């Protein structure tokens, strides 16, 4: 209790000095905001390029190269291909303490190609699209980093800024393997942001998740002529899935178990000798994921016994829930308030209404506003996310916090073609610019106010007391070369 009071005192004092009673920006922060303003057209062009590239995780070659080239042009020292992933990078500017990190993502989702239109119109049928807005995420991080760099230079501020290019967030890979490789070891604080359908601090936790592929091996045979001589790997996959579906009744309500069959055989008249099913095992706490993973393994072994096949597994990744940080959340909230939420035109609201209509028609949903144009309170923003993010693993190692900014239509479903359209439009661009400014303002607070860094570390230390980071990934395992 005493520690929490001290954190509060330090933090309140810090913000009184940081923004002043009226919330005005200091000259350093004004420099950063002006820098973002001056680069709006550049940032829009970068977002549009990455949006058009639409590269899935671990294949984001052009997207990564574009961000790296812009950072190099601004004087960042950049290492590429870190932690065994060709599309990862770490860009560094400055020297000494503190060391502040900003996270960038840029992977797209399969099958979501979409034009900037209010109806479902793919650019290329079946191609990927930025249904999570990562084209803007990476670009917004770029804008914030360059703005902070400009302020550090102009005002002679000591410290090190790092931008982490983290591939394959959609499959929870990049940050986990970079963390296990020690890429975040020297950070004092890490910040991030994400496009969303609301504007506010990411003040709630997320779900831990393990991504695992189970492969069964059997014996091929003619499915009509000599089925008795075959042992079906597909039967094993199907029996495993049935077992897991019965398991669902007896797990906590926060848990999620979902799968796709990635290999089910080649032809109906051949008993499949090989079959693979890909599972995500999620829960609010990593310890629950560990327990459910053991249970799912037992079900897989049972399916193999029933079909007289052999089973093996490949753990693709294992990510943890977000560890919150109260001082950092307060800092980011104040930064968002000082910038203000994105404001939209009637034309943009009309596009958002068109994007909402299929959801309204399909599910009978009533959506009050076209796009959210306010900053959530910290209390409103504190809901636990039903999704997962590999940012969670970083938060187990270093004080971490993030924000969301409205880039999509209100109540737009995640990973949807609607979000692809919005992120490629001026709706997404406006949200991205707000995110760049807010991240830059907050990052400069950390460089200029050591008491904020101290408060964040004290809060993190208290939350992690007695907690140990463990990973289901076998020690020394390299990042996957590809996902699918």
């Amino acid at each position: 209790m005493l520690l929490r009071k001290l954190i509060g005192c330090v933090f309140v004092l810090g913000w009184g000095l940081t923004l002043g009673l009226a919330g005005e920006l200091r000259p350093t922060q004004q420099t950063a905001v002006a820098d973002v303003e001056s680069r709006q057209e550049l940032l829009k062009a970068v977002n549009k390029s990455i949006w058009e590239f639409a590269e899935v995780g671990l294949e984001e070659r052009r997207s990564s190269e574009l961000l790296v080239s812009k950072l190099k042009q601004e004087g960042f020292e950049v290492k590429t291909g870190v932690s065994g992933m060709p599309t990862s990078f770490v860009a560094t500017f400055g020297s000494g303490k503190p060391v502040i990190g900003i996270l960038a993502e840029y992977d797209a989702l399969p099958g979501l190609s979409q034009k900037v239109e209010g109806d479902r119109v793919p650019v290329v049928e079946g191609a990927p699209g930025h249904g999570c807005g990562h084209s803007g995420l990476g670009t917004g991080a770029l804008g914030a980093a360059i703005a902070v760099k400009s302020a550090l230079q102009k005002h002679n501020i000591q410290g090190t800024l790092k931008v982490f290019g983290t591939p394959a967030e959609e499959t929870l890979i990049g940050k986990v393997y970079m963390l296990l490789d020690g890429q975040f070891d020297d950070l004092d604080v890490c910040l991030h942001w994400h496009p969303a359908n609301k504007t506010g601090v990411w003040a709630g936790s997320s779900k831990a998740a393990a991504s695992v592929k189970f492969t069964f091996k059997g014996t091929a045979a003619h499915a009509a002529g000599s089925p008795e001589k075959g042992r079906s790997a597909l039967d094993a996959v199907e029996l495993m899935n049935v077992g897991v579906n019965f398991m669902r009744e007896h797990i906590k309500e926060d848990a999620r178990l979902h799968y796709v069959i990635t290999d089910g055989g080649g032809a109906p008249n051949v008993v499949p000798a090989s079959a693979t099913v890909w599972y995500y095992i999620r829960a609010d706490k990593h310890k629950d994921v560990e327990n459910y993973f053991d249970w799912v393994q037992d079900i897989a072994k049972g399916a193999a016994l029933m079909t007289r096949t052999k089973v093996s597994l490949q753990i693709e990744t294992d990510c943890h829930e977000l560890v919150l940080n109260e001082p950092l959340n307060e800092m980011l909230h104040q930064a968002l308030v000082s910038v203000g939420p994105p404001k939209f035109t009637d034309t943009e609201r009309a596009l958002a209404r068109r994007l909402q209509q299929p959801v309204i028609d399909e599910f009978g949903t009533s959506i009050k506003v076209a796009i959210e144009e306010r900053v959530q309170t910290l209390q409103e923003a504190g809901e636990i996310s039903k999704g997962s993010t590999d940012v969670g693993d970083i938060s187990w190692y270093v004080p971490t916090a993030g924000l969301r900014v409205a880039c999509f239509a209100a109540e737009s479903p995640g990973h949807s073609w609607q979000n692809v359209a919005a992120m490629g439009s001026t709706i997404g661009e406006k949200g991205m610019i707000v995110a760049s400014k807010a991240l830059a303002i907050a990052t400069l607070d950390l460089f200029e106010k050591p008491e904020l860094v101290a408060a964040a570390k004290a809060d993190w230390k208290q939350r992690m007391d007695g907690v140990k980071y463990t990973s289901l990934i076998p020690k020394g395992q390299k990042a996957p070369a590809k996902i699918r």
Side-chain angles (χ1 to χ4, degrees):
M1 181 62 71
L2 177 60
L3 175 59
R4 194 163 286 280
K5 286 181 178 179
L6 287 172
I7 292 171
C9 291
V10 169
F11 181 70
V12 170
L13 175 60
W15 264 107
L17 293 172
T18 299
L19 287 180
L21 296 177
E24 68 273 9
L25 299 179
R26 299 187 308 280
T28 53
Q29 296 169 318
Q30 292 171 11
T31 295
V33 170
D35 190 89
V36 175
E37 287 280 353
S38 71
R39 299 180 195 269
Q40 285 196 56
E41 295 309 311
L42 168 67
L43 296 176
K44 291 175 185 178
V46 171
N47 171 62
K48 193 67 172 180
S49 292
I50 297 176
W51 185 88
E52 291 173 347
F53 296 156
E55 299 165 302
V56 296
L58 301 177
E59 298 176 25
E60 319 98 317
R61 292 175 183 84
R62 290 185 293 173
S63 303
S64 175
E65 288 170 2
L66 179 57
L67 293 172
V68 165
S69 69
K70 299 302 180 186
L71 288 163
K72 284 183 175 180
Q73 287 172 16
E74 292 298 325
F76 283 79
E77 179 184 334
V78 186
K79 293 181 180 179
T80 59
V82 300
S83 306
M85 293 175 287
T87 56
S88 66
F89 65 84
V90 179
T92 304
F93 181 85
S95 62
K97 289 286 191 175
V99 183
I100 309 300
I102 296 176
L103 302 178
E105 300 166 13
Y106 31 85
D107 57 327
L109 287 157
L112 289 180
S113 176
Q114 170 66 25
K115 295 181 179 180
V116 181
E117 294 190 18
D119 301 308
R120 181 69 169 114
V121 185
V123 177
V124 178
E125 189 68 48
H130 276 283
C132 212
H134 289 181
S135 61
L137 193 164
T139 306
L142 171 71
I146 294 174
V148 171
K149 184 269 310 185
S150 297
L152 295 179
Q153 274 186 321
K154 181 177 180 179
H155 300 277
N156 297 313
I157 299 170
Q158 180 73 19
T160 304
L161 174 64
K162 288 194 170 186
V163 183
F164 295 88
T166 62
E169 188 280 335
E170 297 294 359
T171 42
L172 310 173
I173 285 173
K175 299 177 193 66
V176 174
Y177 284 91
M178 290 173 75
L179 177 78
L180 294 175
D181 189 42
Q183 296 297 328
F184 302 98
D185 285 357
D186 63 346
L187 281 189
D188 291 299
V189 173
C190 192
L191 299 180
H192 62 100
W193 88 282
H194 204 289
N197 50 33
K198 294 178 180 178
T199 298
V201 174
W202 197 328
S205 188
S206 61
K207 290 189 185 297
S211 171
V212 190
K213 292 176 180 175
F214 295 86
T215 297
F216 293 84
K217 296 293 184 181
T219 303
H222 195 295
S226 53
E228 74 282 0
K229 296 180 180 178
R231 297 292 179 262
S232 173
L234 178 59
D235 285 354
V237 164
E238 292 186 298
L239 284 167
M240 177 185 174
N241 293 343
V242 169
V244 171
N245 284 325
F246 276 102
M247 171 187 168
R248 293 175 193 271
E249 182 182 358
H250 306 288
I251 60 179
K252 295 178 181 179
E253 292 185 10
D254 67 84
R256 298 285 188 273
L257 300 168
H258 30 227
Y259 58 85
V260 292
I261 298 173
T262 59
D263 174 18
N269 63 340
V270 179
V271 174
S274 180
T276 299
V277 60
W278 182 9
Y279 267 84
Y280 270 25
I281 303 166
R282 306 191 203 236
D284 284 353
K285 299 296 181 183
H286 189 263
K287 63 181 180 181
D288 289 332
V289 169
E290 294 178 41
N291 292 333
Y292 297 147
F293 173 59
D294 289 342
W295 192 347
V296 170
Q297 284 188 87
D298 286 343
I299 293 171
K301 292 173 185 175
L305 287 171
M306 284 188 284
T307 54
R308 294 196 170 181
T309 59
K310 302 293 184 182
V311 63
S312 61
L313 62 87
Q314 172 67 33
I315 300 172
E316 296 284 298
T317 193
D318 174 33
C319 88
H320 293 61
E321 67 272 23
L322 279 166
V323 176
L324 304 182
N325 194 285
E326 187 175 336
L328 294 181
N329 285 347
E330 291 280 358
M331 178 192 69
L332 285 171
H333 178 72
Q334 292 296 332
L336 269 177
V337 169
S338 69
V339 174
K343 297 296 182 182
F344 301 100
T345 65
D346 288 341
T347 300
E348 289 161 343
R349 295 187 192 99
L351 173 59
R353 282 300 189 193
R354 288 180 61 195
L355 294 172
Q356 291 170 335
Q357 197 58 50
V359 179
I360 294 171
D361 293 343
E362 179 70 22
F363 301 104
T365 305
S366 175
I367 304 177
K368 294 181 180 179
V369 299
I371 321 175
E372 290 286 352
E373 299 183 64
R374 67 184 186 89
V375 176
Q376 288 183 300
T377 66
L378 283 172
Q379 289 73 27
E380 290 176 296
E383 182 180 2
I384 295 177
S385 171
K386 293 181 174 63
S388 306
T389 173
D390 53 8
V391 177
D393 289 74
I394 299 172
S395 73
W396 281 59
Y397 264 72
V398 63
T400 302
L403 52 87
R404 297 183 175 101
V405 181
C407 295
F408 310 140
E411 299 187 37
S412 179
H415 293 185
S416 64
W417 64 264
Q418 286 95 335
N419 290 354
V420 182
M423 197 67 241
S425 75
T426 55
I427 296 172
E429 290 173 350
K430 285 184 175 180
M432 175 186 73
I433 297 300
V434 166
S436 286
K437 293 177 181 178
L439 269 182
I441 289 169
T443 303
L444 285 167
D445 277 320
L446 294 168
F447 276 112
E448 297 183 89
K449 298 295 175 183
E451 62 269 28
L452 292 179
V453 176
K457 288 185 174 182
D459 185 276
W460 180 85
K461 185 175 181 180
Q462 184 180 60
R463 293 175 190 270
M464 298 304 292
D465 184 38
V467 179
K468 183 180 180 181
Y469 181 90
T470 59
S471 179
L472 297 173
I473 299 172
K475 188 174 181 179
Q477 178 174 297
K478 303 298 183 183
K482 62 179 182 178
I483 297 168
R484 295 168 182 85

